[in-house]
Amino acid sequence: MRPSRLVPVFVCVVVGLLVKGAVFAAPTTPTITSFLTSRPAQTRVGEPVIIAANGLVSPVRVFFSNGVDANIEAMPIVVDLDRGLIFARVPVGAMTGNMRVTANGVNSNLYYFTVEPGAFTPGTREVSGMVTSGGLGLANAILVLLRGAQCGNVSFQDFAVTDMNGSYTMHGLDGDYQVFVFPPKGTGVANSSAAVTLAPMAVMLDIPLSTGIDVTGRVVDAMMTGLANVRISTDSLGAVQSHEEILTDPNGEFTANLLPGTHEYTIDPPPGNPDATAKGSFSIGAVSPLDVGATALASGVSIRGTLTRDSDGTPLPSAEIQVYDPNACCSAADTKTTAGDGSFVLVVPPNATYEIRTDMDDRTSVTDAQATGVMVGTTPLLRNLTALEAAIISGTVTLQGSGTPLECVGIQARGMAPNFNFGSASSGPDGMYRLRLNPDSDGYIVNTSETDGGATNYASRTWDTTMSGTYFVCEGTPVSAATAGVT
């Protein structure tokens, strides 16, 4: 299973409002770097998305494809110039194809986006309240309603911006959610979150924000040259969850306001940059401001390539690609996100043999691509990847006796000899799971495994055509998965 990731959320400026406070100098041409709500970039009509971009200058507009050209505008949108984020919903009429943004009339790069079939259900259950700082309502803060974040099945349900009194309202379906709150930069208060359960009766949730620590630093390359438009993501490890997104300025410098405590970070250079991603953690005390100094990204040998769908050659952008040295423990040598045309640049130490694999959401219709025995010397290497159309096995995990759906239960699918194909997934908030597998005429043995991110462990069960299943894998019945796309 991949590690859980909180969908990044940010302080926003509603289009048409005056942007307050200083913003980083930006290039004149905007660049879409990723969709932060799905891997690869795909969503249903009406579903909210978060687009990460560099070089945003007001006014900003978003256009999805009509199947030929990018001319279906998403309205209204919310833009955060400081953090390079756009909040939007996929508009009616949008189709699979290249989309784009414009910033002050200048077009961005084209970015391939897949419109999924089916309808997004916004829900009618309501949560509302006030965001406050020092006892006063805080205007222009953004709230994001997320579901299933603890085991990687993140669902982005709704977002809202507080009014002049700090009030907000959001909607969703019945169930447990996390509300993340992000104040405007320059207010001196830090990001925070709160848990909420939506039910038939409307829920009131007031969220007070605390003063944070002003953190500054710089991102540089191996030659100590500042790197512009590097994206830094941080997640707190304390009792109160928080998430921040930061962009470096043209000199590689950055500022952020964070809660005291320990934070994990990921530093992502822009697409195509010949530097490796950096990950780690740091601790923040009670003294403000705090200068964390310069962080140098590692250089090395580049592995360049493009990730595409095997069936039609279309790109798979916003997919995560990891490269590992099988003889080294225990983390990836580099991790990157594919660009709008599916391209990627991995950076690794020279003179070693590596394994490359992708990590995509269970909702996609392709398998994860993999390449083994990739021999790297001292010169750049080209290695393209293709993802096969997947056979899908889906179902629901429930508690025996009560029928209650169980979230975060791991599911494994094991192919029969001689292929021994393998796949895994985890159940979502509704107990549903979705396995993406290589088509195999011999089928798969499907069983539950560990509980990922949940508080309770359950006895492993293997499917044998009955609801109760069997405790013994050897008694399992293979599930047919011979054809791509058939569930």
Side-chain angles (χ1 to χ4, degrees):
M1 292 301 300
R2 60 182 175 273
S4 300
R5 296 198 317 179
L6 296 178
V7 175
V9 282
F10 323 93
V11 77
C12 301
V13 180
V14 179
V15 172
L17 292 180
L18 178 65
V19 178
K20 298 182 179 181
V23 297
F24 290 147
T28 56
T29 302
T31 301
I32 302 172
T33 57
S34 64
F35 273 69
L36 299 178
T37 40
S38 60
R39 297 180 294 172
Q42 59 178 58
T43 306
R44 295 162 294 183
V45 168
E47 196 164 353
V49 295
I50 305 174
I51 305 169
N54 299 329
L56 296 182
V57 179
S58 186
V60 175
R61 302 171 70 184
V62 178
F63 297 90
F64 286 84
S65 176
N66 66 355
V68 179
D69 298 314
N71 60 11
I72 304 295
E73 186 167 8
M75 296 178 65
I77 64 172
V78 172
V79 181
D80 173 8
L81 299 179
D82 287 328
R83 294 172 176 83
L85 272 301
I86 306 168
F87 287 73
R89 290 179 174 84
V90 179
V92 173
M95 300 178 67
T96 297
N98 287 319
M99 54 85 60
R100 61 183 169 89
V101 304
T102 65
N104 197 26
V106 179
N107 285 331
S108 74
N109 58 313
L110 294 176
Y111 202 95
Y112 196 82
F113 182 84
T114 298
V115 177
E116 292 181 276
F120 170 71
T121 305
T124 58
R125 306 313 190 200
E126 181 178 300
V127 56
S128 61
M130 287 186 62
V131 176
T132 60
S133 172
L136 301 176
L138 184 64
N140 293 333
I142 190 168
L143 298 94
V144 173
L145 189 63
L146 298 179
R147 192 177 187 188
Q150 64 267 35
C151 53
N153 296 310
V154 176
S155 174
F156 183 22
Q157 187 67 34
D158 199 6
F159 63 93
V161 179
T162 56
D163 64 17
M164 61 183 299
N165 299 312
S167 299
Y168 74 92
T169 300
M170 292 187 292
H171 297 89
L173 305 170
D174 288 339
D176 297 328
Y177 293 82
Q178 198 80 10
V179 177
F180 285 84
V181 187
F182 299 84
K185 293 192 73 173
T187 58
V189 291
N191 309 28
S192 189
S193 69
V196 64
T197 299
L198 299 190
M201 183 174 293
V203 178
M204 293 295 298
L205 181 66
D206 294 333
I207 305 177
L209 301 184
S210 303
T211 301
I213 305 300
D214 291 325
V215 179
T216 61
R218 191 166 185 246
V219 180
V220 298
D221 63 14
M223 303 300 294
M224 300 303 292
T225 302
L227 296 175
N229 291 320
V230 173
R231 183 169 294 278
I232 306 169
S233 304
T234 68
D235 290 287
S236 66
L237 301 180
V240 177
Q241 297 183 34
S242 67
H243 181 93
E244 179 62 290
E245 290 284 319
I246 310 154
L247 279 179
T248 60
D249 70 8
N251 298 313
E253 297 176 349
F254 66 86
T255 62
N257 191 275
L258 302 173
L259 292 173
T262 301
H263 297 255
E264 290 182 336
Y265 67 83
T266 300
I267 304 176
D268 288 313
N273 185 281
D275 296 291
T277 295
K279 296 185 178 184
S281 63
F282 62 91
S283 296
I284 299 175
V287 178
S288 185
L290 172 66
D291 187 353
V292 297
T295 300
L297 301 186
S299 60
V301 180
S302 297
I303 304 174
R304 295 178 179 268
T306 303
L307 175 64
T308 56
R309 186 183 294 265
D310 180 71
S311 61
D312 58 13
T314 54
L316 293 167
S318 286
E320 185 175 287
I321 294 195
Q322 304 164 344
V323 57
Y324 290 86
D325 181 347
N327 298 314
C329 185
C330 291
S331 59
D334 195 16
T335 301
K336 292 290 175 58
T337 299
T338 53
D341 59 357
S343 63
F344 59 88
V345 180
L346 296 164
V347 180
V348 297
N351 301 317
T353 300
Y354 293 93
E355 175 183 327
I356 304 172
R357 60 176 180 258
T358 65
D359 188 5
M360 293 182 275
D361 293 336
D362 292 339
R363 67 191 289 173
T364 190
S365 62
V366 295
T367 62
D368 279 300
Q370 181 172 323
T372 59
V374 180
M375 300 175 61
V376 176
T378 58
T379 57
L381 182 70
L382 176 65
R383 190 60 182 259
N384 295 324
L385 298 175
T386 57
L388 300 174
E389 295 294 328
I392 306 298
I393 296 176
S394 63
T396 305
V397 183
T398 58
L399 183 62
Q400 186 173 349
S402 68
T404 303
L406 297 179
E407 183 179 6
C408 293
V409 175
I411 309 293
Q412 294 180 343
R414 309 176 192 185
M416 314 300 288
N419 296 324
F420 293 110
N421 286 315
F422 180 83
S424 63
S426 66
S427 58
D430 53 3
M432 292 288 294
Y433 69 87
R434 191 172 186 271
L435 289 158
R436 299 174 293 116
L437 306 166
N438 289 326
D440 190 333
S441 59
D442 293 325
Y444 288 82
I445 298 295
V446 177
N447 67 286
T448 63
S449 57
E450 78 286 351
T451 302
D452 183 9
T456 305
N457 288 312
Y458 302 93
S460 177
R461 291 294 181 91
T462 300
W463 192 79
D464 66 351
T465 75
T466 69
M467 283 290 291
S468 58
T470 174
Y471 287 112
F472 306 102
V473 174
C474 61
E475 295 179 351
T477 301
V479 180
S480 177
T483 306
V486 174
T487 300

